Amino acid sequence: PPRSTLFPYTTLFRSNLFTDRDVKGGWIMSNKPVIVIGHRMGDGKRTAKGIEAAGGTAILIPGMLADMKLGDVMHENNADLGLSFCGSGGAGAVTAATKYGYKYKQYQRTPAAGAQCVKEGCQVIGFPFMDSEELGETIVKAWKDKYEK
């Protein structure tokens, strides 16, 4: 068939949701979400620790203004989620959504609010400065609840 008819399928199988083949050769969903963290002040280590403890993979963007690089790093790594931390709780999330079309919510103030965003299918979530292991663990649990069967 023409190459263009394969586009939706090749894109689907490059996504993180389908990363391994089962014994019969079919694709199975990954149970390890890839989550990028962009923190305006170069922090995010506690959230990354919580993500890893809950069974996810954390990619922590180093340096100041890391939240503004969130969308690019998510795109480069084919990440499942992105967490943006800045004073207002939204600049990096809005930038990622504008550039790449990710579904987002900003101004989230609690781990529970972030989990609700995941349940609603958001790919990028904006928070104020609230770097905590609880947040990382809660986000991974919400992702697993939504996408694991």
Side-chain angles (χ1 to χ4, degrees):
R3 182 181 171 125
S4 63
T5 62
L6 297 176
F7 174 74
Y9 303 103
T10 57
T11 301
L12 173 67
F13 293 124
R14 279 194 306 259
S15 75
N16 286 329
L17 289 178
F18 299 93
T19 58
D20 298 309
R21 287 188 178 266
D22 67 13
V23 180
K24 297 177 184 168
W27 291 94
I28 56 174
M29 286 187 69
S30 170
N31 63 350
K32 191 169 186 169
V34 175
I35 304 173
V36 177
I37 301 166
H39 193 288
R40 175 68 54 115
M41 304 304 289
D43 205 354
K45 293 174 191 75
R46 288 184 291 275
T47 301
K49 186 175 179 182
I51 289 168
E52 298 283 341
T57 298
I59 299 173
L60 184 58
I61 305 170
M64 298 294 284
L65 301 177
D67 61 315
M68 301 308 288
K69 302 171 190 170
L70 185 68
D72 293 336
V73 176
M74 286 179 67
H75 185 74
E76 290 165 8
N77 291 280
N78 200 22
D80 298 295
L81 296 170
L83 307 179
S84 171
F85 297 94
C86 68
S88 66
V94 172
T95 301
T98 301
K99 188 168 183 179
Y100 293 102
Y102 295 124
K103 183 176 178 182
Y104 79 102
K105 279 205 173 173
Q106 58 192 44
Y107 311 124
Q108 303 307 301
R109 303 283 185 227
T110 65
Q116 183 60 39
C117 292
V118 173
K119 290 175 188 174
E120 293 171 8
C122 292
Q123 298 158 290
V124 179
I125 308 168
F127 295 95
F129 297 125
M130 55 179 287
D131 184 21
S132 73
E133 288 182 40
E134 177 191 3
L135 176 62
E137 292 168 355
T138 301
I139 294 296
V140 171
K141 182 182 182 317
W143 186 91
K144 287 182 175 187
D145 288 347
K146 180 170 178 64
Y147 294 106
E148 285 186 346
K149 301 287 182 218

